[in-house]
Amino acid sequence: MKPGGGPPPAPDAPKQQWRSWARGVRSGLELASAAEQIVAGLRSWGAIAPGTRVLVFDPLLDEPDVMPAAADGVALLTRTPAEGGLTIHEADGPLERHRLGFRQPAADAAPVDPGDVDLVLVPGLAFARDGGRLGRGGGYYDRLLPRFRPGTPFVGIVPDGCLVERLPMTSDDVPVTHLATESGVVAVAPDPALDGDLVARTETWISGDPDAGDRAALEALLATGASDELAERMAGTLEFGTAGIRGAVEAGSNRMNRATVIRTTRGLADFLAAAGRSDGVVVLGFDGRLSSRTFAADAVGVLSAAGIAVRYFDRPVPTPLVAHTAVRLDAVAAVVVTASHNPPRDNGYKVYDADGAQIVPPVDTRIAEAIEAVGPAADVPRVEGALDGASETARPLGGSDVAAYVDTLLEGRAPVDGRPLRIVYTPMHGTGRDVLVQVFDAAGHRDLHVVPEQADPDGRFPTVDFPNPEEPGALDLAVELAGAVDADLVLANDPDADRLAAVVPGPDGLRPLTGNQIGVLLGDFVLEHRGGPDALVVNSIVSTPMLAAVADHHGARFEQTLTGFKWIANAALRLERQEGLRFVFGFEEALGYTIGRAVRDKDGIGAALWFADLAAASPKGVLARLEGLYRRDGMWVSTQTSVVRPGTEGREEIDGAMAMLRNRRPDRLGGSDVGGVTDFREGAGDRPPWLPATPLVAFDLGPLGRALVRPSGTEPKLKIYVDLRRELGEGDDVWETEARAREDAGAIGVELVEFLGLG
């Protein structure tokens, strides 16, 4: 290099003087050579991988061309509009020439949200070692950079000749977090204002994180002094419990990422070895979320390196298919990488025990202890490429395994000869379509219309804000299609196909059913065809008590468990062993159902088949069948009120509300005396094992019904459930009575929110 421009100005010299100096330096640089070395450094850094969304710049004549490095991921470019700030677009569309000479996306290019960008390669005339940046004077990037999500790495692209100790900075200037020169990529030093212990914990995690992109994200937070964000991400580790782990996909010990998955899998492998089960098979599957395949590959790689045989699905599949396959293959454990119906930013890791049900205490505690003993993720042995056939102990599952699941569902089907139905179905951008279509075709439900916009697995969930069929608006496209084709029934799975929602025709148009309504309808229909004195039905304690009345009508056994299908399945298995009962149906109000023993977890596909059969066998319609149950067994109406409190402070607020209920409780709710209070944190020894100690408080409202309060196990919520009972006279309008009862139940929920001080 032959830099020109003379010595750099004083740090407090005017920016225009600095720009003149930098332009002089750049005029003497061999930019092609510098660009080649900088690109090599970016590639060896490892933070740009396939799928990484990288904002880059089309170079001016005095800028190094680093487009080749960005092309290793998904390259994005900015556009300079006539008015306003820069916009971001994918770089593979039509480009046009800006008046200053660089190329930019065409005016009609679709915009990309800054929150979806993973890494920014930042241009500048000069950079300082502390992250200071000297722009060209327009201020475009300084207005753009604050719009990215916290932890997004900002990499200043700078030839060595334009790297200085300090630059003049104003309050509007945004520093970069990394510097890329001919010598490679380095992180800017942590902000000295950060708490030393937080910095130390973060740097320790960085040193043990095998993912370059996640290391860069944490380095970015250190460099920008983002203490609140760092404190959230480094607040311990994700807690492994009876639902496995679940959280936002980000860098940090308290987040879902490759390091977390690797350590969790190693802990599972060590638990299996300690239990003498490491010579068995582990079954693994994953959903369609953007990070799921990567996490699944790491899990298979770790298990393979530990000498454990793995049978895995190499494409996104429904969770109940994995759970069924685990039982069929007599697996010692199963893993599903999924966040079910959580928001797009989340992912999770779900573990099944050797009995095919989700883990329960004390197994969850033993696995958690094994995870805690695992060292840094970077030191955990794993077989690279195990999901692509590189491991001798890992083998893919395929069509015959899907066929076995389909056959099991068909064999257990009720013998129904009903009317033909026109059905609209949505898999909610998830994994359910292919398997459900195969099941329905074999069952004779062939007039099936899949919502085209939501048919394929897509972890971005572009048509819904929240991929949960219970959420307002989630079923809008399905209902719209149902109206267009004059459908008799709308069915929806959540993204991992373990939940089922249903919408049915009513007097005022299509009407969504609640999870409890679907539960009592299915429970009655299953008992009608699979009942008997040894038949067992189970639901969770926060689900409608009406199932008990339905079971009593059919002379069947009813049990209730804690929230979560892990408890339903484990209670069923134990009661079958100990009392010779025959489990036929289980459900929880959050749209989770299973029929028989085909799947020891929620099964949205099997439930969809039975519900379609139920609808076909209801000549007067599903609502008429539900009205008949209300009149026969008594009407129960249920509502749920949720208080959302995100973050660690929110968790403390929720915990505080639950703690208050130990000593202070309402005397009246909904105008009725509270007849009794059951605190499920106490007295577990007097209850069956599927009702252990848990943060749940129940208020007995006598003949009126009940109310329950509990924190969510997977979301930052406090949930309040109210169930009210109404007797129907011969002339009473069932739907008016239901609407009034629902208003009364909702009012009790609000009353409890106010009592807890969370209004």
Side-chain angles (χ1 to χ4, degrees), residues 88-179:
I88 303 170
H89 313 265
E90 293 195 1
D92 60 357
L95 302 178
E96 62 186 27
R97 187 71 62 176
H98 187 272
R99 61 181 177 81
L100 296 180
F102 59 84
R103 295 172 302 166
Q104 64 178 11
D108 60 352
V112 173
D113 190 313
D116 293 333
V117 177
D118 299 312
L119 188 147
V120 183
L121 303 181
V122 184
L125 287 171
F127 288 86
R129 297 186 188 279
D130 63 0
R133 173 179 170 270
L134 181 69
R136 294 180 181 271
Y140 285 109
Y141 263 80
D142 288 318
R143 291 191 293 272
L144 174 66
L145 294 179
R147 295 166 56 196
F148 296 98
R149 67 178 185 270
T152 303
F154 301 152
V155 185
I157 305 301
V158 52
D160 284 323
C162 294
L163 181 62
V164 298
E165 291 300 321
R166 287 182 58 201
L167 283 167
M169 299 283 285
T170 66
S171 60
D172 295 332
D173 294 328
V174 178
V176 297
T177 64
H178 294 75
L179 296 165

Side-chain angles (χ1 to χ4, degrees), residues 49-101:
T52 305
R53 296 168 73 81
V54 183
L55 180 60
V56 67
F57 54 90
D58 189 62
L60 293 169
L61 292 177
D62 63 350
E63 292 177 332
D65 182 2
V66 292
M67 290 282 286
D72 293 344
V74 178
L76 310 171
L77 285 173
T78 60
R79 175 178 172 79
T80 308
E83 296 180 359
L86 297 176
T87 55
I88 303 170
H89 313 265
E90 293 195 1
D92 60 357
L95 302 178
E96 62 186 27
R97 187 71 62 176
H98 187 272
R99 61 181 177 81
L100 296 180

Side-chain angles (χ1 to χ4, degrees), residues 410 435-448 609:
L410 295 173
V435 179
L436 183 136
V437 169
Q438 186 174 341
V439 170
F440 273 44
D441 183 70
H445 295 299
R446 298 190 178 96
D447 194 356
L448 184 68
L609 173 62

Side-chain angles (χ1 to χ4, degrees), residues 238-372:
L238 275 184
E239 183 178 353
F240 186 93
T242 53
I245 53 174
R246 192 179 295 184
V249 179
E250 291 178 323
S253 61
N254 193 34
R255 294 291 190 264
M256 276 295 298
N257 47 59
R258 292 186 62 210
T260 297
V261 168
I262 289 168
R263 295 185 69 250
T264 299
T265 307
R266 183 67 214 196
L268 174 62
D270 291 343
F271 161 79
L272 292 174
R277 291 157 51 183
S278 59
D279 57 347
V281 171
V282 173
V283 171
L284 183 138
F286 59 94
D287 68 12
R289 289 174 183 262
L290 300 180
S291 55
S292 290
R293 183 177 179 85
T294 297
F295 292 165
D298 281 327
V300 174
V302 171
L303 291 168
S304 297
I308 296 175
V310 186
R311 301 294 177 263
Y312 62 88
F313 290 96
D314 60 2
R315 59 181 177 84
V317 292
T319 291
L321 169 60
V322 182
H324 174 267
T325 304
V327 174
R328 187 174 62 83
L329 297 183
D330 197 25
V332 296
V335 173
V336 184
V337 177
T338 179
S340 189
H341 58 283
N342 273 38
R345 71 192 294 256
D346 289 357
N347 213 331
Y349 186 104
K350 188 176 185 179
V351 180
Y352 294 85
D353 210 339
D355 58 9
Q358 291 182 61
I359 55 172
V360 294
V363 172
D364 57 342
T365 301
R366 292 171 183 164
I367 296 175
E369 291 170 349
I371 295 168
E372 186 67 24

